Amino acid sequence: MSLFETEAIVLKTIRLGEADKLVTILTAKKGKVKAVAKGARRPRSRFGAALEPFTHCNVILFDKKPTVLMRMNQADILHPFIRIREDLERIGAAARMVQLASAILPEGEANPKIFSLLQAGLGKVERNDHLEWLVRVFEIRCLKHAGYQARLDHCLICHNELDAKPVYFSPKNGGTLCGSCARTISDPLEFVSSGTISLLRLAARMNWAGLFRLKATPKMLQEVKNVMDAHLTYVIGRPL
Ligand SMILES: [Zn+2]
């Protein structure tokens, strides 16, 4: 039995019983956890608005034993991300980030890089208008920090360097194939132009300021989306 304090981001809440909430949070110390917030649906509950989705808060949790749900004793707002809630498109972008983090992380395993990424990502969603690109960068980095970084430097079958010709992304192999090797396999593939490959590589490592200066054409953004949708669906086992 132990009591611990940690920063957390609210991923999801569902009603529980008469007046409680079951809250899924991404914590800095213990990764994704579920906790019961007793009385959270009562008027003037001590949790106030701290358990709204996307809220960054400081929580105190009581961890009874591995087989029993944690109890949330306290939650204090650090940053409510109010501007996200005022705009449907921002809500959509933030929801996609939160859903991906939730789907890709196992319970109870700390991942400080994904915690920081989600916190930074929500901050960008609140203040930036390039929402589609932002979500794609989040997806690319979230997969990387979860151990599923796409391998884009050479063909995964013949190991030759990729030239300027179109290449293919194989979700099953988690990376690129040259045109010749792509013809030899029957798994679904996504066509990718060489410019898009460069964009995918940069998105995994460049700082945010640099990423917002990149000029991606609508066609490249569509290819990035096709690749990421296919990769995420393969990794998670279902469409997000
Ligand atoms: Zn090849």
Side-chain angles (χ1 to χ4, degrees):
M1 291 209 285
S2 68
L3 203 62
F4 70 99
E5 186 171 354
T6 178
E7 284 186 40
I9 293 167
V10 180
L11 303 178
K12 189 168 101 175
T13 65
I14 55 173
R15 292 152 168 259
L16 190 72
E18 288 282 296
D20 309 337
K21 279 182 179 175
L22 177 63
V23 192
T24 307
I25 49 178
L26 180 60
T27 67
K29 282 187 185 165
K30 296 205 178 181
K32 184 175 77 170
V33 302
K34 287 187 177 136
V36 177
K38 287 259 179 208
R41 279 163 44 226
R42 290 211 176 90
R44 292 194 301 276
S45 138
R46 67 199 145 122
F47 296 105
L51 304 183
E52 294 294 318
F54 320 133
T55 305
H56 177 208
C57 45
N58 195 64
V59 296
I60 297 178
L61 297 167
F62 183 55
D63 192 0
K64 286 182 248 185
K65 49 183 172 178
T67 53
V68 179
L69 279 169
M70 289 189 195
R71 198 179 70 205
M72 189 180 289
N73 285 11
Q74 197 177 322
D76 299 302
I77 297 175
L78 296 172
H79 191 98
F81 294 113
I82 293 265
R83 275 200 65 202
I84 292 178
R85 273 179 252 284
E86 294 168 346
D87 180 315
L88 272 181
E89 281 186 43
R90 288 187 210 282
I91 290 173
R96 175 118 181 145
M97 291 181 177
V98 156
Q99 281 165 6
L100 173 56
S102 186
I104 211 158
L105 289 169
E107 275 188 43
E109 217 172 86
N111 189 319
K113 285 185 174 169
I114 292 185
F115 182 84
S116 299
L117 177 70
L118 184 59
Q119 190 187 343
L122 292 174
K124 303 284 175 205
V125 169
E126 191 173 40
R127 295 185 305 272
N128 200 288
D129 291 328
H130 302 288
L131 294 176
E132 190 188 347
W133 179 226
L134 243 173
V135 170
R136 293 293 94 76
V137 173
F138 178 87
E139 291 172 352
I140 291 162
R141 294 188 175 190
C142 192
L143 282 185
K144 174 181 166 183
H145 297 327
Y148 301 102
Q149 179 169 20
R151 288 173 297 161
L152 307 168
D153 293 325
H154 51 78
C155 171
L156 290 174
I157 293 180
C158 69
H159 305 292
N160 286 333
E161 295 229 342
L162 301 168
D163 51 26
K165 291 194 190 100
V167 292
Y168 294 84
F169 181 83
S170 162
K172 188 178 173 187
N173 293 285
T176 40
L177 303 180
C178 71
S180 313
C181 293
R183 280 193 284 277
T184 67
I185 68 166
S186 56
D187 299 312
L189 300 171
E190 294 296 331
F191 168 86
V192 203
S193 56
S194 56
T196 301
I197 293 288
S198 305
L199 198 60
L200 283 162
R201 287 186 193 135
L202 287 172
R205 58 180 163 82
M206 201 181 220
N207 65 34
W208 290 98
L211 286 170
F212 289 125
R213 284 196 295 271
L214 291 176
K215 298 272 180 283
T217 63
K219 180 173 171 277
M220 288 160 86
L221 284 176
Q222 185 59 48
E223 285 185 1
V224 172
K225 182 176 189 314
N226 295 345
V227 165
M228 293 316 297
D229 280 350
H231 198 188
L232 290 174
T233 301
Y234 186 81
V235 168
I236 296 167
R238 59 176 166 80
L240 195 61

